[in-house]
Amino acid sequence: VELVESGGGSVQSGGSLRLSCVASGYTYSTYSMGWFRQAPGKEREGVAAVNSDRTTAYADSVKGRFTISHDKAKNTLYLQMNSLKPEDTAMYYCAAHTRISYALGFLLREQSFNYWGQGTQVTVSA
């Protein structure tokens, strides 16, 4: 399984970006996918996730600003990020578990995922 992220970049506060994660190497109908981020000096945290039942989960810090979606036909995960803030600056990682559709309480846990992308940098300036 390979996950390749794209769409990161530098924007000003209040701007928008859309991250994409193309997944290849699996065709399971049961899965969980998510976005995590890690800022310098901080632990990696769950941002948003979705499972094959279309259940979504968001970190409180991004609710109402970020939207996760999954295009099954393209096997691509998206993260639409609006109203970006400097504190959103981080490396963003795509993650997947290809055989489990996690319940809501498990979707933002790093330990729930067994495949990870290389990351894409998001920098938001004030």
Side-chain angles (χ1 to χ4, degrees):
V1 177
E2 184 179 25
L3 304 175
V4 180
E5 305 99 331
S6 63
S10 297
V11 297
Q12 290 189 329
S13 182
S16 298
L17 284 172
R18 188 176 81 155
L19 305 183
S20 299
C21 171
V22 178
S24 60
Y26 77 95
T27 56
Y28 304 115
S29 60
T30 301
Y31 57 84
S32 298
M33 297 190 75
W35 290 98
F36 289 73
R37 67 186 180 186
Q38 187 169 21
K42 295 187 177 181
E43 293 185 354
R44 189 153 55 182
E45 63 175 352
V47 175
V50 61
N51 66 15
S52 47
D53 298 320
R54 297 296 187 183
T55 297
T56 57
Y58 294 92
D60 288 344
S61 60
V62 306
K63 283 180 180 177
R65 300 188 298 123
F66 291 10
T67 303
I68 191 170
S69 60
H70 183 233
D71 186 330
K72 291 182 65 176
K74 296 181 179 179
N75 221 0
T76 301
L77 184 71
Y78 300 99
L79 184 67
Q80 179 65 44
M81 305 186 295
N82 298 328
S83 302
L84 283 162
K85 304 175 181 181
E87 50 263 44
D88 294 318
T89 295
M91 184 71 77
Y92 283 71
Y93 298 91
C94 175
H97 195 297
T98 56
R99 292 184 179 273
I100 297 177
S101 179
Y102 283 106
L104 181 63
F106 294 88
L107 278 173
L108 292 181
R109 296 186 182 184
E110 187 174 352
Q111 301 91 326
S112 297
F113 297 87
N114 57 352
Y115 292 103
W116 293 84
Q118 293 299 307
T120 185
Q121 178 68 36
V122 172
T123 302
V124 185
S125 58

